[in-house]
Amino acid sequence: MKTIAIKLVSVLFMIAVIDSHSFAQSNFEKDFVAFHKKAIMTCGLIKKPEMHKKAEILQELKEFRTQLGELQKKYAGNPPEEYSNDPLWKSYFMGFYDIIDALQTRVEKENYKVAAMNCSRFCMLFDKIHTINGHLTLTDMMFRWFSQVTMTTNMVNAANYPGAEHNDKNVRELHKKVLEFKKAAKKSEEFNKEFKNIDKLYSKWLNALESNDYQGVSDTFKKFQGAFGKVFLMSL
């Protein structure tokens, strides 16, 4: 009887451990997405300093740092199974701290333009983590797509027309990937509606590029850029 009781306790203990591990796994992506959203929203304040007080932005960065600390405490030493083989796992948390430090230092000096230049590092790090571990998301693909559209537009603005035309292939391939990921993600009707708007602007931008309407490329990109942020946040 005593042996049966011991075995029963052992089984229950194992079930508890498995359930606890499964719970951590099921909640990690949700926590990671919430952290990514916080990054985008915090950078949104930094990119529009005229609409926010310095103290408000610093408070947002403080909350952001606290959120990262909670993530580190929960997952740095206990990675979800799908990330458990990555020897770089703990270094990613240090990478996020480094970006936050860079933002805070510049915000404290009210050097908002330079601070904003660091914002893309968040998405680059999320992309890196997902790429290394084979878990790319729609948001990652949208970031890559937007980056290449931006790069191509910058080439046009620099009068590097051959470079812009050559990069056309990369932009098209990434747009194709975005559509594939979007289809697989099965997003809401609201997201699809908003995505349709930026997709129309992208088509207009692409047509301007391929017809050598370089002023049209710059003008359309500004509209595309203005509408992209909302859809990007919704993709998470």
Side-chain angles (χ1 to χ4, degrees):
M1 186 71 179
K2 185 177 179 180
T3 303
I4 294 174
I6 292 173
K7 288 183 177 179
L8 180 59
V9 170
S10 297
V11 170
L12 290 173
F13 176 75
M14 288 301 296
I15 290 173
V17 170
I18 292 170
D19 284 348
S20 175
H21 188 58
S22 297
F23 180 81
Q25 283 183 316
S26 64
N27 279 279
F28 171 73
E29 290 300 341
K30 184 171 69 173
D31 290 343
F32 212 41
V33 164
F35 181 66
H36 199 163
K37 285 183 177 179
K38 185 71 169 178
I40 294 171
M41 293 171 70
T42 302
C43 281
L45 299 183
I46 293 171
K47 291 176 180 179
K48 295 183 179 179
E50 69 280 358
M51 298 177 64
H52 307 280
K53 294 180 180 179
K54 175 182 173 181
E56 180 185 353
I57 300 175
L58 288 174
Q59 178 61 31
E60 194 76 11
L61 284 167
K62 182 180 179 181
E63 293 174 5
F64 191 27
R65 188 184 296 274
T66 298
Q67 189 172 351
L68 174 57
E70 292 171 355
L71 270 180
Q72 184 181 34
K73 185 178 180 180
K74 287 175 68 175
Y75 301 114
N78 180 37
E81 185 177 349
E82 59 269 34
Y83 297 91
S84 60
N85 294 320
D86 186 356
L88 297 174
W89 178 250
K90 289 185 178 180
S91 73
Y92 301 139
F93 295 93
M94 295 302 100
F96 283 123
Y97 275 120
D98 184 60
I99 302 169
I100 294 174
D101 286 343
L103 291 176
Q104 184 164 345
T105 299
R106 288 153 179 79
V107 169
E108 286 174 348
K109 296 178 180 179
E110 298 185 24
N111 198 345
Y112 298 110
K113 287 186 177 180
V114 178
M117 290 170 65
N118 286 273
C119 284
S120 63
R121 292 173 60 196
F122 284 119
C123 292
M124 290 171 68
L125 187 47
F126 280 111
D127 190 327
K128 177 182 177 180
I129 295 169
H130 290 145
T131 299
I132 289 174
N133 291 279
H135 299 295
L136 281 171
T137 67
L138 171 60
T139 307
D140 296 324
M141 297 312 301
M142 288 185 67
F143 170 70
R144 293 184 184 187
W145 176 45
F146 180 78
S147 297
Q148 287 302 310
V149 171
T150 303
M151 176 71 75
T152 307
T153 302
N154 289 339
M155 289 176 176
V156 168
N157 292 340
N160 178 14
Y161 305 130
E165 291 168 6
H166 180 74
N167 209 45
D168 174 86
K169 182 179 179 181
N170 291 334
V171 175
R172 283 180 171 276
E173 283 297 318
L174 284 169
H175 178 248
K176 182 180 177 181
K177 286 289 185 181
V178 167
L179 295 180
E180 291 173 1
F181 273 70
K182 175 178 169 291
K183 183 177 181 180
K186 297 179 180 179
K187 304 299 286 185
S188 67
E189 288 186 14
E190 183 182 1
F191 172 83
N192 291 331
K193 180 182 177 181
E194 295 295 335
F195 184 89
K196 189 175 181 179
N197 291 334
I198 64 167
D199 211 29
K200 286 180 179 178
L201 288 169
Y202 164 72
S203 295
K204 186 176 179 181
W205 175 88
L206 190 63
N207 288 334
L209 177 65
E210 295 181 342
S211 61
N212 300 327
D213 176 11
Y214 300 125
Q215 186 60 51
V217 169
S218 296
D219 292 343
T220 307
F221 174 74
K222 290 176 183 177
K223 296 177 182 178
F224 176 78
Q225 183 180 37
F228 187 86
K230 179 181 178 180
V231 187
F232 185 64
L233 185 60
M234 290 174 67
S235 72
L236 285 162

